[in-house]
């Protein structure tokens, strides 16, 4: 597979749904098939046209293409490990029609390590020069923290080697398993290793074992927030602005945090310059209405726990801990689309199995 490209291009025709995109693709698939098979002008005659259409659906699609066999082109759509875009890649492929001569794949699949070798400049990444070990922490027993060692890593090439290792693991484990099964990853040289090195070929089996343990431990864990108590935290920042946080006091001390490892944060920026960083009356009312809208969609009984919110420095952040990242990705994207004219809206979804990013709300 080759030709990884970020889809970002100007609009030249209206594509408003997955069906619109696939109808357009079907009308052009024979031309695209021949372009890929002959490996002629793929960038200009296939990718550029593809990008014009997909950008109208959503930014953040990436893709690879090549011949799956003599008579079939494979087109892999990928989020390039951006968690909040994975669900949109999956949905695009779910709507794909059956087209003779084409194989459509959502997210980069896992590859057999015997057939996997990546070259980046003068460096190689394969089973001969990569190894790993696991880091264990008493306070975070379910954290899957992996250290990967490359034989040729030095302080000078650390960034380049690190990038190559991420690409290698993305292909070796598969895009979805890489995101789901590794919580933290660090890259070091051989002389920095503090444990016995394990061949990288054993990483898949190790992760399967750890993930099985995790699922068995937290299977069926639920949380009902209806009777929880909320704490109000107030502070004055160094710049003189106020900070007000509303936090679920019961939930923040829960002993099963790891069952909801995905953190969703949505941020609304408003003009609070003349109000010590706080929203005016109209913005305050509007922000509360939007928050209630989100709460009606992300329910605790479905695995989306409302941790609370923080307002300071002309921003309001709303926090959820989630069992899965797919529905929050869609909900927060729709909120961004709906209210983007009222406020500057940003959102992020990341893994934080022990909610360490919220320890600032726990009284010392």
């Amino acid at each position: 597979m080759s030709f990884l490209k970020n889809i970002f291009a100007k609009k030249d025709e209206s594509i408003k749904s997955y069906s619109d995109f696939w109808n357009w693709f079907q009308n052009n698939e024979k031309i695209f098939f021949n372009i890929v098979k002959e490996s002629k002008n793929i960038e200009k005659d296939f990718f550029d046209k593809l990008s014009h259409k997909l950008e109208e659906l959503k930014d953040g699609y990436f893709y690879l293409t090549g011949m799956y066999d003599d008579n079939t082109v494979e087109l892999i759509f990928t989020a390039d490990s951006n968690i909040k875009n994975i669900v949109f890649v999956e949905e695009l492929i779910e709507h794909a029609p059956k087209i003779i001569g084409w194989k459509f794949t959502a997210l980069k699949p896992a590859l057999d390590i015997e057939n996997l070798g990546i070259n980046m400049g003068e460096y190689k990444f394969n089973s001969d020069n990569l190894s790993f070990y696991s880091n264990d922490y008493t306070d975070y027993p379910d954290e899957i923290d992996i250290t990967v060692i490359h034989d040729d890593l030095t302080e000078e090439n650390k960034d380049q080697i690190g990038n190559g290792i991420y690409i290698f693991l993305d292909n070796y484990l598969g895009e979805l398993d890489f995101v789901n099964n590794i919580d933290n990853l660090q890259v070091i040289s051989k002389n920095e290793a503090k444990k016995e090195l394990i061949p990288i070929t054993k990483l898949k089996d190790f992760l399967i074992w750890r993930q099985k343990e995790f699922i068995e431990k937290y299977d069926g864990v639920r949380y009902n927030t209806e009777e929880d108590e909320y704490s109000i935290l107030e502070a004055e920042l160094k710049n003189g602005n106020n900070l007000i946080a509303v936090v679920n006091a019961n939930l923040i001390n829960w002993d099963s945090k790891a069952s909801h490892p995905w953190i969703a944060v949505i941020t609304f920026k408003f003009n609070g310059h003349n109000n010590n960083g706080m929203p005016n009356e109209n913005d305050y009312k509007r922000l509360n209405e939007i928050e209630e809208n989100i709460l009606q969609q992300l329910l605790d009984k479905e695995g989306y726990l409302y941790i609370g919110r923080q307002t300071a420095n002309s921003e309001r952040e709303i926090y959820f801990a989630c069992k899965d990242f797919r529905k929050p990705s869609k909900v927060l994207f729709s909120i961004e689309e709906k209210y983007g004219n009222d406020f500057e809206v940003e959102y992020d979804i990341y893994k934080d199995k022990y909610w360490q990013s919220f320890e600032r709300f726990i009284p010392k």
Side-chain angles (χ1 to χ4, degrees), residues 11 46 58 82 100 106 122 128 131 140 163 175 186 195 200 202 236 238 258 278 301 308 336 358:
K11 299 178 182 179
F46 182 26
K58 189 181 186 301
N82 188 329
I100 295 174
E122 59 185 297
D128 293 330
S131 52
Y140 309 113
N163 186 43
E175 187 172 357
Q186 56 181 316
K195 289 187 175 182
I200 201 72
K202 297 184 181 295
E236 182 176 314
K238 291 181 178 179
M278 292 290 113
K301 65 181 180 182
E336 181 185 44
F358 301 121

Side-chain angles (χ1 to χ4, degrees), residues 242-263:
N242 296 327
L243 181 151
I244 301 176
V246 180
V247 180
N248 186 323
N250 298 87
L251 188 59
I252 208 73
N253 292 298
W254 191 32
D255 62 1
S256 295
K257 292 184 177 75
S259 65
H260 291 65
W262 300 101
I263 303 301

Side-chain angles (χ1 to χ4, degrees), residues 101-330:
W102 286 89
K103 174 180 171 61
F104 303 111
T105 302
L107 309 175
K108 284 177 277 188
L111 299 177
D112 187 336
I113 199 166
E114 298 302 323
N115 301 320
L116 178 59
I118 293 174
N119 296 331
M120 289 183 61
E122 59 185 297
Y123 302 109
K124 296 182 178 181
F125 303 85
N126 53 50
S127 57
D128 293 330
N129 58 21
L130 290 171
S131 52
F132 80 100
Y133 59 78
S134 173
N135 303 294
D136 304 312
Y137 303 101
T138 303
D139 292 339
Y140 309 113
D142 298 307
E143 194 97 318
I144 301 177
D145 188 300
I146 301 297
T147 294
V148 177
I149 297 90
H150 190 288
D151 290 351
D152 301 324
L153 186 141
T154 65
E155 192 62 35
E156 290 72 27
N157 65 21
K158 190 170 186 177
D159 289 343
Q160 187 176 358
I161 293 286
N163 186 43
I165 286 173
Y166 271 85
I167 294 172
F168 177 89
L169 293 176
D170 208 27
N171 286 277
Y172 172 41
L173 302 176
E175 187 172 357
L176 191 58
D177 280 352
F178 186 22
V179 166
N180 272 325
N181 296 340
I182 295 181
D183 300 321
N184 297 301
L185 175 67
Q186 56 181 316
V187 176
I188 64 171
S189 62
K190 259 189 174 181
N191 60 13
E192 295 176 290
K194 297 178 181 179
K195 289 187 175 182
E196 181 180 350
L197 304 187
I198 304 169
I200 201 72
T201 54
K202 297 184 181 295
L203 179 59
K204 278 187 184 179
D205 289 339
F206 170 79
L207 293 174
I208 290 171
W209 166 64
R210 286 298 306 271
Q211 196 65 14
K212 182 180 178 182
E213 274 194 332
F214 179 78
I215 292 172
E216 290 176 350
K217 184 174 180 178
Y218 293 104
D219 185 38
V221 172
R222 289 184 59 182
Y223 195 100
N224 187 327
T225 60
E226 286 184 7
E227 298 183 3
D228 283 356
E229 296 182 355
Y230 288 79
S231 297
I232 299 177
L233 310 175
E234 298 185 55
E236 182 176 314
L237 303 175
K238 291 181 178 179
N239 60 7
N241 283 343
N242 296 327
L243 181 151
I244 301 176
V246 180
V247 180
N248 186 323
N250 298 87
L251 188 59
I252 208 73
N253 292 298
W254 191 32
D255 62 1
S256 295
K257 292 184 177 75
S259 65
H260 291 65
W262 300 101
I263 303 301
V265 181
I266 187 164
T267 303
F268 300 88
K269 299 183 180 182
F270 53 85
N271 185 353
H273 298 308
N274 298 321
N275 199 28
N276 293 326
M278 292 290 113
N280 60 39
E281 185 176 348
N282 288 334
D283 284 346
Y284 182 83
K285 181 179 179 181
R286 189 68 168 148
L287 288 167
N288 286 351
E289 290 173 353
I290 296 171
E291 185 171 329
E292 184 59 34
N293 186 338
I294 299 172
L295 286 166
Q296 290 174 3
Q297 297 182 72
L298 298 178
L299 304 176
D300 56 4
K301 65 181 180 182
E302 295 179 358
Y304 310 108
L305 306 180
Y306 173 64
I307 293 175
R309 71 180 189 228
Q310 175 180 291
T311 309
N313 286 332
S314 301
E315 294 184 358
R316 171 168 290 182
E317 295 181 337
I318 303 172
Y319 312 113
F320 286 84
C322 311
K323 269 201 165 185
D324 182 70
F325 55 79
R326 290 175 175 84
K327 185 172 182 179
S329 298
K330 296 187 66 177

